[in-house]
Every structure is written in structure tokens, then in C-alpha cells.
Amino acid sequence: MTNNNNSRILLIYTGGTIGMCRNSSTGALQPFDFSQLNSHIPELAHLNTQIDVHTFNPPIDSSDMTPQLWINLVSDIAKVYNDYDGFVILHGTDTMSYTASALSFMFENLTKPIILTGSQLPIGQPRTDGKENLITSVEIAAAKRPDGQAMVPEVCIYFNWKLLRGNRTMKHSSDEFNAFKSFNFPNLANAGVDLVYHEANIRRPDPTKPMRPLMSIDNNVIIFSIFPGIREDIIRHVLTTPDLKGVVMRTFGSGNAPQLPWLKEAIAEATARGKVIVNVSQCMQGCIEMGRYSTGYQLKEAGVVSGRDMTVECAVTKLMCLLSQYSDIDTVRQMMTKDLRGELSEQVL
């Protein structure tokens, strides 16, 4: 790995806990002034990296994140893509996995790092995790291989000493510094005394193809969970919603659902009408295998697509992106089962 000399990073602050600090006079929390980044976090000077800052105006709580804001982020990065070696996005933790997943599909053939990070405590508090998360995210975004290519040309989340593929993550804790996990794919890097990259886990772009941004999202989708006692009238109402195009259905275990004749019928009718229904597990770890039990095979017979080991956040954002790109529903179904950005593990036959 080469050093970070002459690297240029764009830091984008969208909002979130990390962007707060305590007023020394009043003791109240107030927005952090990122234009004074180096004076607040002098450790950044040791990275020998130029950091430019772009701040959402106004900053948003991550609960207010929207597909349009994803498009805005993609547009902001695409406009200056050739001017920077990497990008760091400061983001609230509640929807960070959704944003990381969406951005992974909205950048085709990404050749530079886009690292999302945040914190559980405001950056101005003594025990904050924000400083380390920010400093190391910048270091990773600036890191290059000996041939000059980016060390990690992916959309990632860095949090609590771990670099994770963005579309493999989920927030699993609201009160631990170790807030994010990637249950079905190993870490891309670990930070300790040394910053250790696991290069075999990192995807590499095709150097002969240009980066292509996607500037559209189709959010005519819904997520619903199967549970004991699920009602026919509610499910039929959902599946016949006007303009609904896609459903991410969270099922039991390896992709199972109650053997209710009306449920299979309602799903089969929906898929026949052109709805794309994707099966993901309610379990945090493991894979959908609809052929394992009859309770799962019935869904396969009804036209449900296997989400394999995708997270809910990944499945719904991938579906949004594909629906915006393809008008042919069979193509969308096929692409949902194809590994596009490292979101799917190799299928075991």
C-alpha cells in the first residue's frame, strides 16, 4: 500500500449524531463546524491528505433519508468524480445500511472508495467514537495500491474498527459502538495497531470500462414480514395496491411461509400480474433455499424470486434500482438473482 501523499478526499456531511459538538459556554449540543475540521481534529493533518468538505443544507436526520437524496448524493459525487481520489460520507446510523446498499447499485464500475461512517456519540463528547471512525475512513478513502489504483474501490461502511461491504451490512445495535455487522460476508479490512486489508474480499473494477452513475430510483416497492396469524385481507390489499411493482417478503428461516392456500394463491396472482416478489430471511445470517422444505417450495411455485443471502436493506434498494432501469419484469427478476456488486454469495448447488 502506498502512502496518502497528494491524495484528495471529498467529505460529505449529510447529518447525524457525528456532526454534533458541545458548546463550551452553554453546554448544549450544536452542529459541528466542518469548515474548521482540521482545527477540531488535528490528527487529520498527519494523513497528508487534502480534505474538502461539502455539507447538506440543512443537514438531515438519517430517518429522513429518501431516494431523492440518494440521487442527489450520486449527482454530487459524479460531478467531481475525476477531481478526488475517494469520498467519505458522514451519515446517521439508522438508515446508513440502506444508503450504502443503494449507492453500491447506483455506481456501476466504481473505481474509487465511497466510505460511509458516523458515530453513536456526538463528535464533541469525550468518549465519542466519531473521531476514530472519521479519521480511519479518510485514511481508507485515500489508500492506494502500489500500482496507484484505489485500495478499496467499493461503497463501504467503516465503523468500530471494521470496514464492511456496504450492501452486506445491517445495523444490529442502537447502543453499542459495534453498531454494524456483515453476517454473510467477511470484513474488507480491520483496524488495530495496523490497518489490515483483506484483499481477497475486495472487488476490483474493470479498468477498461468507465464509471457509470444511475440517476433514477423507482420506489414503488414495499417490505412485509410473514408471521403466525397473518391476515388474508391485509395481504391481498397490499398486493393489489395500485402502481406497486415490487415486494421484499421477509420469511421464516431458509425461506418458509405458512401453507395457507389463500397465501400461495394471492402471491401467484400478484406475480402473474407482473409484481416482482423477492424472498429474504428474517434471520440475520444464512441463505434462502426455497427447495429445502415444502413450506418454501410453495413460494417458488408461486413465482417468488430467491433473495438468497441478501439483507433486507440490500434487497429493497437493489429492487428499486433495477425497476428504474428495466421495464421488462422478467429481466428484473433475473437481475435480482445475479450478483451485481458483491451482494450475493456464490450459490451452492
mmCIF file with all atom_site columns, all heavy atoms in Angstrom, residues 73-85:
data_model
loop_
_atom_site.group_PDB
_atom_site.id
_atom_site.type_symbol
_atom_site.label_atom_id
_atom_site.label_alt_id
_atom_site.label_comp_id
_atom_site.label_asym_id
_atom_site.label_entity_id
_atom_site.label_seq_id
_atom_site.pdbx_PDB_ins_code
_atom_site.Cartn_x
_atom_site.Cartn_y
_atom_site.Cartn_z
_atom_site.occupancy
_atom_site.B_iso_or_equiv
_atom_site.pdbx_formal_charge
_atom_site.auth_seq_id
_atom_site.auth_comp_id
_atom_site.auth_asym_id
_atom_site.auth_atom_id
_atom_site.pdbx_PDB_model_num
ATOM 1   N N   . LEU A 1 73 ? -26.878 12.627 -3.800  1.00 0.00 ? 73 LEU A N   1
ATOM 2   C CA  . LEU A 1 73 ? -25.531 12.198 -3.428  1.00 0.00 ? 73 LEU A CA  1
ATOM 3   C C   . LEU A 1 73 ? -24.767 11.681 -4.645  1.00 0.00 ? 73 LEU A C   1
ATOM 4   O O   . LEU A 1 73 ? -23.597 12.029 -4.850  1.00 0.00 ? 73 LEU A O   1
ATOM 5   C CB  . LEU A 1 73 ? -25.597 11.100 -2.361  1.00 0.00 ? 73 LEU A CB  1
ATOM 6   C CG  . LEU A 1 73 ? -25.627 11.522 -0.899  1.00 0.00 ? 73 LEU A CG  1
ATOM 7   C CD1 . LEU A 1 73 ? -25.914 10.323 -0.008  1.00 0.00 ? 73 LEU A CD1 1
ATOM 8   C CD2 . LEU A 1 73 ? -24.317 12.182 -0.494  1.00 0.00 ? 73 LEU A CD2 1
ATOM 9   N N   . VAL A 1 74 ? -25.424 10.841 -5.421  1.00 0.00 ? 74 VAL A N   1
ATOM 10  C CA  . VAL A 1 74 ? -24.781 10.303 -6.621  1.00 0.00 ? 74 VAL A CA  1
ATOM 11  C C   . VAL A 1 74 ? -24.401 11.431 -7.573  1.00 0.00 ? 74 VAL A C   1
ATOM 12  O O   . VAL A 1 74 ? -23.299 11.461 -8.124  1.00 0.00 ? 74 VAL A O   1
ATOM 13  C CB  . VAL A 1 74 ? -25.706 9.289  -7.318  1.00 0.00 ? 74 VAL A CB  1
ATOM 14  C CG1 . VAL A 1 74 ? -25.130 8.864  -8.665  1.00 0.00 ? 74 VAL A CG1 1
ATOM 15  C CG2 . VAL A 1 74 ? -25.909 8.059  -6.434  1.00 0.00 ? 74 VAL A CG2 1
ATOM 16  N N   . SER A 1 75 ? -25.311 12.382 -7.754  1.00 0.00 ? 75 SER A N   1
ATOM 17  C CA  . SER A 1 75 ? -25.042 13.514 -8.637  1.00 0.00 ? 75 SER A CA  1
ATOM 18  C C   . SER A 1 75 ? -23.869 14.345 -8.131  1.00 0.00 ? 75 SER A C   1
ATOM 19  O O   . SER A 1 75 ? -22.979 14.730 -8.909  1.00 0.00 ? 75 SER A O   1
ATOM 20  C CB  . SER A 1 75 ? -26.301 14.391 -8.753  1.00 0.00 ? 75 SER A CB  1
ATOM 21  O OG  . SER A 1 75 ? -26.060 15.523 -9.545  1.00 0.00 ? 75 SER A OG  1
ATOM 22  N N   . ASP A 1 76 ? -23.843 14.623 -6.822  1.00 0.00 ? 76 ASP A N   1
ATOM 23  C CA  . ASP A 1 76 ? -22.749 15.417 -6.242  1.00 0.00 ? 76 ASP A CA  1
ATOM 24  C C   . ASP A 1 76 ? -21.401 14.750 -6.463  1.00 0.00 ? 76 ASP A C   1
ATOM 25  O O   . ASP A 1 76 ? -20.405 15.408 -6.790  1.00 0.00 ? 76 ASP A O   1
ATOM 26  C CB  . ASP A 1 76 ? -22.983 15.633 -4.749  1.00 0.00 ? 76 ASP A CB  1
ATOM 27  C CG  . ASP A 1 76 ? -24.130 16.589 -4.455  1.00 0.00 ? 76 ASP A CG  1
ATOM 28  O OD1 . ASP A 1 76 ? -24.536 17.332 -5.369  1.00 0.00 ? 76 ASP A OD1 1
ATOM 29  O OD2 . ASP A 1 76 ? -24.632 16.585 -3.308  1.00 0.00 ? 76 ASP A OD2 1
ATOM 30  N N   . ILE A 1 77 ? -21.362 13.421 -6.263  1.00 0.00 ? 77 ILE A N   1
ATOM 31  C CA  . ILE A 1 77 ? -20.099 12.695 -6.425  1.00 0.00 ? 77 ILE A CA  1
ATOM 32  C C   . ILE A 1 77 ? -19.720 12.594 -7.894  1.00 0.00 ? 77 ILE A C   1
ATOM 33  O O   . ILE A 1 77 ? -18.552 12.787 -8.266  1.00 0.00 ? 77 ILE A O   1
ATOM 34  C CB  . ILE A 1 77 ? -20.201 11.301 -5.775  1.00 0.00 ? 77 ILE A CB  1
ATOM 35  C CG1 . ILE A 1 77 ? -20.288 11.442 -4.246  1.00 0.00 ? 77 ILE A CG1 1
ATOM 36  C CG2 . ILE A 1 77 ? -19.010 10.425 -6.155  1.00 0.00 ? 77 ILE A CG2 1
ATOM 37  C CD1 . ILE A 1 77 ? -20.558 10.139 -3.515  1.00 0.00 ? 77 ILE A CD1 1
ATOM 38  N N   . ALA A 1 78 ? -20.697 12.299 -8.751  1.00 0.00 ? 78 ALA A N   1
ATOM 39  C CA  . ALA A 1 78 ? -20.411 12.126 -10.178 1.00 0.00 ? 78 ALA A CA  1
ATOM 40  C C   . ALA A 1 78 ? -19.841 13.402 -10.802 1.00 0.00 ? 78 ALA A C   1
ATOM 41  O O   . ALA A 1 78 ? -18.958 13.344 -11.665 1.00 0.00 ? 78 ALA A O   1
ATOM 42  C CB  . ALA A 1 78 ? -21.673 11.694 -10.914 1.00 0.00 ? 78 ALA A CB  1
ATOM 43  N N   . LYS A 1 79 ? -20.316 14.558 -10.352 1.00 0.00 ? 79 LYS A N   1
ATOM 44  C CA  . LYS A 1 79 ? -19.863 15.835 -10.927 1.00 0.00 ? 79 LYS A CA  1
ATOM 45  C C   . LYS A 1 79 ? -18.370 16.081 -10.672 1.00 0.00 ? 79 LYS A C   1
ATOM 46  O O   . LYS A 1 79 ? -17.707 16.742 -11.482 1.00 0.00 ? 79 LYS A O   1
ATOM 47  C CB  . LYS A 1 79 ? -20.673 16.991 -10.339 1.00 0.00 ? 79 LYS A CB  1
ATOM 48  C CG  . LYS A 1 79 ? -22.103 17.063 -10.841 1.00 0.00 ? 79 LYS A CG  1
ATOM 49  C CD  . LYS A 1 79 ? -22.870 18.163 -10.123 1.00 0.00 ? 79 LYS A CD  1
ATOM 50  C CE  . LYS A 1 79 ? -24.322 18.207 -10.565 1.00 0.00 ? 79 LYS A CE  1
ATOM 51  N NZ  . LYS A 1 79 ? -25.112 19.219 -9.787  1.00 0.00 ? 79 LYS A NZ  1
ATOM 52  N N   . VAL A 1 80 ? -17.879 15.580 -9.544  1.00 0.00 ? 80 VAL A N   1
ATOM 53  C CA  . VAL A 1 80 ? -16.478 15.854 -9.192  1.00 0.00 ? 80 VAL A CA  1
ATOM 54  C C   . VAL A 1 80 ? -15.668 14.566 -9.106  1.00 0.00 ? 80 VAL A C   1
ATOM 55  O O   . VAL A 1 80 ? -14.588 14.543 -8.516  1.00 0.00 ? 80 VAL A O   1
ATOM 56  C CB  . VAL A 1 80 ? -16.397 16.628 -7.851  1.00 0.00 ? 80 VAL A CB  1
ATOM 57  C CG1 . VAL A 1 80 ? -17.064 17.989 -7.974  1.00 0.00 ? 80 VAL A CG1 1
ATOM 58  C CG2 . VAL A 1 80 ? -17.036 15.828 -6.705  1.00 0.00 ? 80 VAL A CG2 1
ATOM 59  N N   . TYR A 1 81 ? -16.187 13.507 -9.696  1.00 0.00 ? 81 TYR A N   1
ATOM 60  C CA  . TYR A 1 81 ? -15.577 12.182 -9.554  1.00 0.00 ? 81 TYR A CA  1
ATOM 61  C C   . TYR A 1 81 ? -14.104 12.179 -9.956  1.00 0.00 ? 81 TYR A C   1
ATOM 62  O O   . TYR A 1 81 ? -13.265 11.557 -9.284  1.00 0.00 ? 81 TYR A O   1
ATOM 63  C CB  . TYR A 1 81 ? -16.355 11.180 -10.406 1.00 0.00 ? 81 TYR A CB  1
ATOM 64  C CG  . TYR A 1 81 ? -15.952 9.740  -10.215 1.00 0.00 ? 81 TYR A CG  1
ATOM 65  C CD1 . TYR A 1 81 ? -16.339 9.025  -9.080  1.00 0.00 ? 81 TYR A CD1 1
ATOM 66  C CD2 . TYR A 1 81 ? -15.185 9.079  -11.173 1.00 0.00 ? 81 TYR A CD2 1
ATOM 67  C CE1 . TYR A 1 81 ? -15.979 7.698  -8.903  1.00 0.00 ? 81 TYR A CE1 1
ATOM 68  C CE2 . TYR A 1 81 ? -14.815 7.751  -11.011 1.00 0.00 ? 81 TYR A CE2 1
ATOM 69  C CZ  . TYR A 1 81 ? -15.213 7.072  -9.872  1.00 0.00 ? 81 TYR A CZ  1
ATOM 70  O OH  . TYR A 1 81 ? -14.857 5.752  -9.700  1.00 0.00 ? 81 TYR A OH  1
ATOM 71  N N   . ASN A 1 82 ? -13.772 12.881 -11.027 1.00 0.00 ? 82 ASN A N   1
ATOM 72  C CA  . ASN A 1 82 ? -12.390 12.877 -11.519 1.00 0.00 ? 82 ASN A CA  1
ATOM 73  C C   . ASN A 1 82 ? -11.461 13.777 -10.706 1.00 0.00 ? 82 ASN A C   1
ATOM 74  O O   . ASN A 1 82 ? -10.244 13.740 -10.896 1.00 0.00 ? 82 ASN A O   1
ATOM 75  C CB  . ASN A 1 82 ? -12.358 13.302 -12.986 1.00 0.00 ? 82 ASN A CB  1
ATOM 76  C CG  . ASN A 1 82 ? -13.039 12.297 -13.891 1.00 0.00 ? 82 ASN A CG  1
ATOM 77  O OD1 . ASN A 1 82 ? -12.999 11.096 -13.633 1.00 0.00 ? 82 ASN A OD1 1
ATOM 78  N ND2 . ASN A 1 82 ? -13.684 12.781 -14.945 1.00 0.00 ? 82 ASN A ND2 1
ATOM 79  N N   . ASP A 1 83 ? -12.022 14.582 -9.811  1.00 0.00 ? 83 ASP A N   1
ATOM 80  C CA  . ASP A 1 83 ? -11.218 15.536 -9.043  1.00 0.00 ? 83 ASP A CA  1
ATOM 81  C C   . ASP A 1 83 ? -10.724 14.968 -7.722  1.00 0.00 ? 83 ASP A C   1
ATOM 82  O O   . ASP A 1 83 ? -9.888  15.605 -7.061  1.00 0.00 ? 83 ASP A O   1
ATOM 83  C CB  . ASP A 1 83 ? -12.027 16.803 -8.750  1.00 0.00 ? 83 ASP A CB  1
ATOM 84  C CG  . ASP A 1 83 ? -12.447 17.530 -10.015 1.00 0.00 ? 83 ASP A CG  1
ATOM 85  O OD1 . ASP A 1 83 ? -11.732 17.419 -11.034 1.00 0.00 ? 83 ASP A OD1 1
ATOM 86  O OD2 . ASP A 1 83 ? -13.505 18.195 -9.994  1.00 0.00 ? 83 ASP A OD2 1
ATOM 87  N N   . TYR A 1 84 ? -11.242 13.816 -7.315  1.00 0.00 ? 84 TYR A N   1
ATOM 88  C CA  . TYR A 1 84 ? -10.913 13.275 -5.995  1.00 0.00 ? 84 TYR A CA  1
ATOM 89  C C   . TYR A 1 84 ? -10.476 11.821 -6.088  1.00 0.00 ? 84 TYR A C   1
ATOM 90  O O   . TYR A 1 84 ? -10.843 11.094 -7.013  1.00 0.00 ? 84 TYR A O   1
ATOM 91  C CB  . TYR A 1 84 ? -12.122 13.393 -5.051  1.00 0.00 ? 84 TYR A CB  1
ATOM 92  C CG  . TYR A 1 84 ? -12.454 14.823 -4.697  1.00 0.00 ? 84 TYR A CG  1
ATOM 93  C CD1 . TYR A 1 84 ? -13.415 15.541 -5.424  1.00 0.00 ? 84 TYR A CD1 1
ATOM 94  C CD2 . TYR A 1 84 ? -11.797 15.476 -3.650  1.00 0.00 ? 84 TYR A CD2 1
ATOM 95  C CE1 . TYR A 1 84 ? -13.709 16.858 -5.113  1.00 0.00 ? 84 TYR A CE1 1
ATOM 96  C CE2 . TYR A 1 84 ? -12.092 16.799 -3.336  1.00 0.00 ? 84 TYR A CE2 1
ATOM 97  C CZ  . TYR A 1 84 ? -13.040 17.480 -4.075  1.00 0.00 ? 84 TYR A CZ  1
ATOM 98  O OH  . TYR A 1 84 ? -13.331 18.787 -3.768  1.00 0.00 ? 84 TYR A OH  1
ATOM 99  N N   . ASP A 1 85 ? -9.692  11.411 -5.082  1.00 0.00 ? 85 ASP A N   1
ATOM 100 C CA  . ASP A 1 85 ? -9.237  10.028 -5.001  1.00 0.00 ? 85 ASP A CA  1
ATOM 101 C C   . ASP A 1 85 ? -10.206 9.143  -4.234  1.00 0.00 ? 85 ASP A C   1
ATOM 102 O O   . ASP A 1 85 ? -10.168 7.917  -4.364  1.00 0.00 ? 85 ASP A O   1
ATOM 103 C CB  . ASP A 1 85 ? -7.865  9.972  -4.313  1.00 0.00 ? 85 ASP A CB  1
ATOM 104 C CG  . ASP A 1 85 ? -6.812  10.723 -5.107  1.00 0.00 ? 85 ASP A CG  1
ATOM 105 O OD1 . ASP A 1 85 ? -6.383  10.199 -6.153  1.00 0.00 ? 85 ASP A OD1 1
ATOM 106 O OD2 . ASP A 1 85 ? -6.435  11.830 -4.699  1.00 0.00 ? 85 ASP A OD2 1
#
